[in-house]
Amino acid sequence: MALTRRQFIQIGGAAVGGGVVASGLASRWWGLDRNRVEDPGTDGDRVVASYCELCFWGCGVLAHVKDGRVTKVTGNPDHPLSKGRLCPRGAGATGLLYDPDRLKRPLVRTQKRGADVFEEVSWDAALNKVGEGLLELKRRHGPEALALFSHGSGGTWFKHFMKAWGSPNVGAPSYAQCRGPREAGYLLTYGTPLGSPEPIDLAHARVITLIGSHLGENMHNTQVQDLADAIGSGAQLVVVDPRFSVAASKARYWLPIRPGTDIALLLAWMNVLVEEKRCDAEYLAQHANGLEELKAHVAGKTPEWAAAITGVKAELIRDSARFIAAARPASLIHPGRHTTWYGDDTQRARAMAILAALLGSWGRRGGYLTFNKMGLPPYKVGKEMPHGGKGAADKPRNGGYPVAGEVIASGLCDAATPGHALYDLKGWMVYGCNLIQALPSRKQTIEAIQNLDLLVSIDVLPAEICGWSDVVLPECSYLEREDDVLAPPWREPFLALRQEAVPPLHESKPGWWIAKELAGRVGLGDYFPWKDAREYVDARLTLGRHDVAEARRRGVVLGKVGPVCEEEGLAIELGTDSKKIELHSEELKRLGFDPIPNYVPQEEGPAGHFRLLMGRAPTHTFGRTVNNRLLAEPYPENEVWVNAEAAKALPGFPGPLRNGERVWLVNQDGARSGPVRAKVTQRIRDDCVFLVHGWGQGAKRLRYAHGKGASDAELVTRYKVDPIMGGTGMSVNFVRLEPVGRTA
Amino acid sequence: MTTRFAMAVDTVRCVGCNACVIACKTENAVPEGGFRDWIAQEVHGAFPDLSMQIRSERCNHCAAPSCVDACPTGASHVAQGGVVAVARNKCTGCKACIAACPYGARYVHPEGYVDKCTFCLHRVTQGRAPACVETCPTRSLTFGDLADPDSPVSRLLRSRRFTVLREESGNRPQVFFLA
């Protein structure tokens, strides 16, 4: 007799119900009348500690494995980043692991690039093809002609490959398309970039100021935990955002700013602080250079001046400035992420950094901290790495970006166009970066790709970039592999282990194996002497004198907590040449830029157009998770936010736009995206619209996400390059709405 | 005192991230399309004078549950600690309880029975927190025994203002929203 699952549960339940016979409840046959406590039975018979890869924050997880299947992933209570809790993406890891659309076998392109027609081949055939391609590339163009785009922990193996191969061209969109301007701004002001996770003290801040940073929607687990704790203990928020974000809904002050005018607001806030003597004078006298120049610079930049520019009432600017100042030094200006908006972004980050200095919050509790890193000796390879003779090819031939601290991904893209950079790139390896969606101007990216001799992508899912590749190598998900130890600086320094919970599904392989196999095929095997990642990690842990078994059991090794701010006994130290906070930047002056940020008006869009703003949803990491059926349940597709008043009379619409109605988005250059549902809402200004990034996937192999929602990337046909650090400002595009069904 | 399980949802802390939803789905093997908990966002006012409440919602495990009254087979019942539960083996999938619930807290499981939040009774009877409470990054969710005046949930309800949903239904909901 074939049992359905339901019958099976009933019989199984009755069997364990034997103990209640005496209660009389089981008097009916088989105990079917008894009300049992249903146990879904998802606790693992084996629990594997690891760290998450659904975003790149790196939270500690516990993977529950039952009958060889991961049933659920929960937070590791021992891990300082998760503290036992996970965000939705982390909890949705099984949706990635068991995604039916995963890359299953290596693919080799059989038709022209972009046709997305591939043949499934053996690993041996795929790796041989890549190996031969790489050797040919090296023979004809030298090792530097190869670039690696890498995002994610498995990328360390390919970065190692690049060092052994001899190319410095290793970049990720996470710099020049995300946090780069911020890193440059803080580097210029304090002599050190912030990095990730940011060393900020949200938990102890009394006032937290978010400028275009929608923390809570942008879900960095530990920061959201700290933010909630701060709110719970009475901290107040000041939120600057054209949108009534989740954070804005919790704020004491919401400043619904006109997009592109943030620097004016920041200068006006500084004006209030300086004019009303609300700065930390003692702190500034001791630690800062250029206060007099700054005072002169902001002298006329009153709230009234800024009100006309920003659309925020002068009174609101003044009141919020006083409120921010009253909490100093535990008044935290959150440095933000995804800071590439208008091409003047380093200057905006500078303005934020300067404001933080006026509040005296650098090096202070509730402000910016100095975290420590737990060191771990490297694996001894025993052979000197060639690295790469030439400098990175990420700069245009006619100049560069003087304050760029990392390689510029968009620069590596441009360098594939002949004659653009110092030398041409001829091959790309792409690890976990969907460049088509991540870089601005899809058209430019595709043109660059057409110039390549070799494009290899390594990914878990068939992202759009895979469709443009020559060879696609399927990596297994993070739950199926070992990776290098993660050791970011943190208040409580730690080492975190990535461990295999279940063996790789299909024919996917871990990154370490792919990199080692490739190295063997191009004569670099000596640089990969380890048997596997596990041996590699164990060797490092042993060299660091850690208990390997204990580390593997807990998934984390905790280090000593040292002082992280002045209040804890750590003197304020600055990394600038002058050892002072550079309110007025001599460096920028020398380079020919404004030494103190200036407000420069942004170009406005054509009539009837809205500025396109992009952001995040807590359930999704860029476009990486949109195919995850589990995560898509509460958030199945993005929607375009349109101001309710503006929606009443949109050009080209016969009547008011209804909430939920599908519309096309067409940008100033005619690029079209959608159709996408409209979210008609009071929660946004009437001069801009908002999309969550990552939707509108063009990759057909992402069967769930394909065509759902609108791709903001498709509408970013224009961008403005930050001349200081090369970041690509992408909020410079404008869209109009078109009713679906009446397209030209 | 008899145990009376209840939950306090802190709408001031909650950011509506859906971690509770996903954790519930994997903990309870909730099938695709079904939800035992969800996020509600309620916006008031007009730009720029706005307010918004974000709530993690679920079955209210009412003290006077209309769903239990409506159930013709006795499948919907009050279990340990006042938790409103559905006995799968008795449920015929008639949906009378779905019609009777003022909160839309129930769905039909593809296997034919009605399913809903159990406050993770299988966990709480072992002294563990419900999955949603365990994972919530903002610690917005507090679960415990109302009969115990020293439980965190009792203490929160003494110290904070709160509301319940659809009080007028007379169901006496046991999920409280802290404002």
Side-chain angles (χ1 to χ4, degrees):
Chain A
M1 182 180 114
L3 288 179
T4 65
R5 193 178 109 80
R6 196 166 164 211
Q7 287 167 325
F8 179 76
I9 290 167
Q10 287 168 1
I11 293 166
V16 295
V20 292
V21 169
S23 74
L25 284 172
S27 54
R28 302 256 190 109
W29 183 71
W30 276 113
L32 284 182
D33 201 39
R34 202 182 134 250
N35 295 324
R36 291 178 308 269
V37 173
E38 299 286 351
D39 187 344
T42 52
D43 284 350
D45 44 38
R46 215 157 47 80
V47 176
V48 182
S50 189
Y51 66 89
C52 184
E53 185 92 358
L54 269 287
C55 87
F56 303 97
W57 195 252
C59 293
V61 301
L62 300 175
H64 289 250
V65 185
K66 190 160 190 169
D67 303 327
R69 229 182 127 81
V70 180
T71 49
K72 64 182 173 188
V73 174
T74 59
N76 182 352
D78 291 339
H79 194 287
L81 294 185
S82 53
K83 296 183 263 187
R85 284 149 202 276
L86 288 183
C87 81
R89 298 166 310 205
T94 51
L96 171 66
L97 173 60
Y98 299 115
D99 191 321
D101 301 335
R102 269 179 58 173
L103 290 165
K104 297 180 176 73
R105 278 165 283 279
L107 302 172
V108 170
R109 180 169 64 80
T110 56
Q111 288 186 23
K112 73 176 170 64
R113 274 207 188 108
D116 199 358
V117 180
F118 291 85
E119 182 189 10
E120 284 189 352
V121 299
S122 69
W123 270 102
D124 214 35
L127 291 166
N128 286 344
K129 188 166 172 68
V130 177
E132 284 157 21
L134 287 174
L135 289 173
E136 175 68 7
L137 190 89
K138 195 181 226 174
R139 194 179 58 76
R140 291 175 58 190
H141 309 288
E144 295 93 348
L146 180 68
L148 168 68
F149 297 86
S150 168
H151 201 193
S153 46
T156 53
W157 311 106
F158 296 93
K159 289 179 186 168
H160 182 81
F161 178 93
M162 291 295 279
K163 281 187 189 168
W165 173 261
S167 172
N169 293 309
V170 178
S174 55
Y175 183 73
Q177 281 68 50
C178 187
R179 59 188 167 79
R182 177 194 91 182
E183 305 298 28
Y186 281 77
L187 176 70
L188 286 160
T189 313
Y190 296 104
T192 173
L194 296 174
S196 171
E198 294 89 352
I200 52 175
D201 197 6
L202 279 160
H204 296 112
R206 305 308 303 152
V207 169
I208 297 162
T209 303
L210 300 172
I211 300 164
S213 171
H214 40 269
L215 193 55
E217 287 159 276
N218 186 14
M219 195 69 200
H220 289 130
N221 187 355
T222 333
Q223 281 196 9
V224 175
Q225 292 192 28
D226 287 351
L227 178 76
D229 283 346
I231 291 172
S233 60
Q236 301 281 351
L237 303 185
V238 174
V239 173
V240 180
D241 203 313
R243 207 167 48 88
F244 190 66
S245 61
V246 164
S249 76
K250 299 180 182 301
R252 172 75 175 267
Y253 291 99
W254 172 44
L255 287 71
I257 194 168
R258 177 178 300 144
T261 65
D262 307 80
I263 294 179
L265 171 72
L266 286 157
L267 291 171
W269 272 350
M270 290 182 213
N271 171 281
V272 176
L273 263 61
V274 166
E275 295 291 324
E276 300 183 1
K277 298 196 170 26
R278 293 172 191 270
C279 307
D280 192 331
E282 199 182 319
Y283 175 93
L284 290 169
Q286 198 184 343
H287 297 297
N289 272 346
L291 184 58
E292 289 315 309
E293 288 97 327
L294 181 74
K295 281 181 177 170
H297 186 81
V298 300
K301 314 275 193 308
T302 60
E304 287 70 24
W305 166 81
I309 298 167
T310 58
V312 180
K313 288 188 183 110
E315 192 187 328
L316 183 51
I317 297 177
R318 187 168 277 111
D319 288 352
S320 54
R322 289 173 179 164
F323 188 71
I324 289 167
R328 69 173 170 78
S331 183
L332 177 66
I333 309 296
H334 191 289
R337 284 227 177 184
H338 192 250
T339 55
T340 44
W341 302 347
Y342 307 110
D344 61 354
D345 305 299
T346 298
Q347 291 289 14
R348 186 185 63 251
R350 273 270 297 152
M352 290 162 68
I354 292 168
L355 179 64
L358 297 182
L359 298 167
S361 77
W362 184 269
R364 297 274 191 70
R365 177 172 291 151
Y368 292 77
L369 308 174
T370 303
F371 287 162
N372 296 307
K373 195 173 150 72
M374 206 167 156
L376 193 63
Y379 189 99
K380 286 209 173 68
V381 175
K383 202 172 169 186
E384 196 69 21
M385 303 275 261
H387 288 275
K390 295 184 191 175
D394 62 343
K395 298 165 196 70
R397 198 181 280 277
N398 57 358
Y401 309 107
V403 190
E406 293 177 30
V407 171
I408 293 162
S410 38
L412 293 181
C413 178
D414 294 342
T417 301
H420 183 90
L422 292 175
Y423 56 92
D424 300 340
L425 290 177
K426 291 291 181 184
W428 288 359
M429 280 207 287
V430 184
Y431 177 86
C433 303
N434 188 12
L435 297 177
I436 309 280
Q437 294 269 347
L439 297 178
S441 180
R442 175 193 167 92
K443 186 166 157 271
Q444 272 183 342
T445 307
I446 289 167
E447 278 168 11
I449 287 172
Q450 299 295 14
N451 292 311
L452 296 173
D453 291 353
L454 181 67
L455 172 50
V456 183
S457 55
I458 302 129
D459 222 316
V460 180
L461 285 165
E464 216 165 345
I465 188 70
C466 298
W468 291 90
S469 303
D470 302 319
V471 184
V472 181
L473 304 176
E475 199 191 21
C476 53
S477 78
Y478 92 87
L479 289 166
E480 307 159 279
R481 64 177 202 244
E482 307 272 328
D483 273 320
D484 201 356
V485 176
L486 187 70
W490 194 246
R491 173 186 279 279
E492 185 177 27
F494 65 92
L495 305 173
L497 271 67
R498 167 69 50 74
Q499 305 195 83
E500 181 188 294
V502 288
L505 285 173
H506 321 295
E507 286 176 35
S508 63
K509 293 283 188 184
W512 69 261
W513 182 90
I514 301 171
K516 184 176 156 78
E517 287 290 317
L518 268 183
R521 280 166 171 80
V522 295
L524 301 172
D526 288 353
Y527 296 102
F528 289 76
W530 44 86
K531 182 172 132 272
D532 54 27
R534 201 177 171 90
E535 189 233 278
Y536 177 96
V537 167
D538 287 355
R540 290 191 72 189
L541 289 170
T542 307
L543 282 171
R545 299 178 180 196
H546 297 292
D547 181 339
V548 175
E550 177 67 3
R552 290 206 167 273
R553 191 186 63 77
R554 282 183 91 192
V556 63
V557 179
L558 300 177
K560 273 207 191 83
V561 180
V564 294
C565 57
E566 197 179 47
E567 290 82 350
E568 293 178 11
L570 185 71
I572 293 168
E573 270 189 50
L574 296 149
T576 53
D577 289 344
S578 60
K579 305 288 171 209
K580 299 273 189 189
I581 301 167
E582 300 286 333
L583 302 175
H584 175 276
S585 171
E586 288 302 324
E587 173 86 2
L588 282 177
K589 193 177 169 188
R590 190 176 59 75
L591 295 166
F593 300 111
D594 291 338
I596 302 175
N598 270 310
Y599 166 69
V600 181
Q602 295 294 322
E603 218 175 292
E604 291 301 318
H609 283 61
F610 300 90
R611 190 182 288 273
L612 173 66
L613 303 178
M614 318 72 147
R616 302 271 181 260
T619 32
H620 292 286
T621 306
F622 332 132
R624 296 175 67 95
T625 53
V626 293
N627 206 60
N628 184 318
R629 285 143 175 88
L630 189 50
L631 293 178
E633 283 201 52
Y635 194 87
E637 59 184 294
N638 66 356
E639 42 196 2
V640 59
W641 292 40
V642 187
N643 173 276
E645 287 306 310
K648 283 182 181 163
L650 287 169
F653 282 75
L657 173 67
R658 290 184 311 274
N659 192 40
E661 189 178 337
R662 285 191 190 268
V663 295
W664 297 96
L665 299 179
V666 185
N667 86 348
Q668 72 284 330
D669 298 325
R672 182 179 291 272
S673 174
V676 58
R677 281 185 303 150
K679 176 181 171 123
V680 176
T681 176
Q682 298 288 344
R683 292 177 56 196
I684 190 166
R685 286 176 60 93
D686 61 6
D687 53 5
C688 50
V689 295
F690 173 81
L691 277 179
V692 169
H693 173 75
W695 296 88
Q697 292 282 336
K700 287 200 179 67
R701 290 158 198 268
L702 296 173
R703 285 176 297 179
Y704 178 81
H706 175 71
K708 278 204 172 70
S711 163
D712 58 291
E714 214 153 345
L715 299 165
V716 177
T717 51
R718 291 185 190 174
Y719 59 97
K720 250 170 105 176
V721 179
D722 189 324
I724 301 175
M725 54 61 66
T728 52
M730 292 178 276
S731 300
V732 297
N733 291 271
F734 299 88
V735 294
R736 64 189 167 84
L737 278 57
E738 222 177 61
V740 166
R742 60 189 65 198
T743 54
Chain B
M1 265 307 259
T2 329
T3 306
R4 174 66 248 194
F5 289 129
M7 189 180 283
V9 179
D10 191 336
T11 64
V12 178
R13 296 176 70 115
C14 178
V15 296
C17 76
N18 280 289
C20 50
V21 176
I22 304 295
C24 170
K25 292 210 70 145
T26 56
E27 170 66 33
N28 293 300
V30 178
E32 202 169 327
F35 292 96
R36 289 182 174 194
D37 57 353
W38 60 91
I39 297 292
Q41 287 188 346
E42 207 176 277
V43 182
H44 292 285
F47 181 93
D49 298 310
L50 292 161
S51 68
M52 179 166 73
Q53 190 178 59
I54 306 171
R55 296 187 299 262
S56 169
E57 293 185 6
R58 57 194 45 63
C59 169
N60 283 270
H61 297 282
C62 304
S66 52
C67 56
V68 172
D69 294 344
C71 179
T73 67
S76 280
H77 64 282
V78 178
Q80 196 177 336
V83 167
V84 175
V86 182
R88 295 173 185 188
N89 50 347
K90 294 181 193 166
C91 177
T92 61
C94 78
K95 304 189 186 74
C97 59
I98 292 180
C101 171
Y103 303 106
R106 296 166 168 245
Y107 73 97
V108 182
H109 192 283
E111 286 176 23
Y113 55 86
V114 169
D115 192 37
K116 60 176 284 298
C117 165
T118 63
F119 266 166
C120 280
L121 201 55
H122 65 287
R123 291 169 62 96
V124 300
T125 48
Q126 295 169 27
R128 298 157 72 197
C132 56
V133 175
E134 184 184 65
T135 205
C136 177
T138 57
R139 294 179 178 81
S140 302
L141 306 178
T142 305
F143 177 83
D145 182 6
L146 275 187
D148 173 4
D150 286 331
S151 72
V153 72
S154 298
R155 275 186 273 133
L156 264 177
L157 294 181
R158 277 199 303 276
S159 64
R160 295 273 299 272
R161 281 189 303 124
F162 62 84
T163 53
V164 293
L165 297 177
R166 297 189 174 228
E167 193 168 15
E168 75 286 356
S169 72
N171 273 31
R172 289 166 54 208
Q174 303 295 307
V175 174
F176 304 92
F177 295 92
L178 306 172

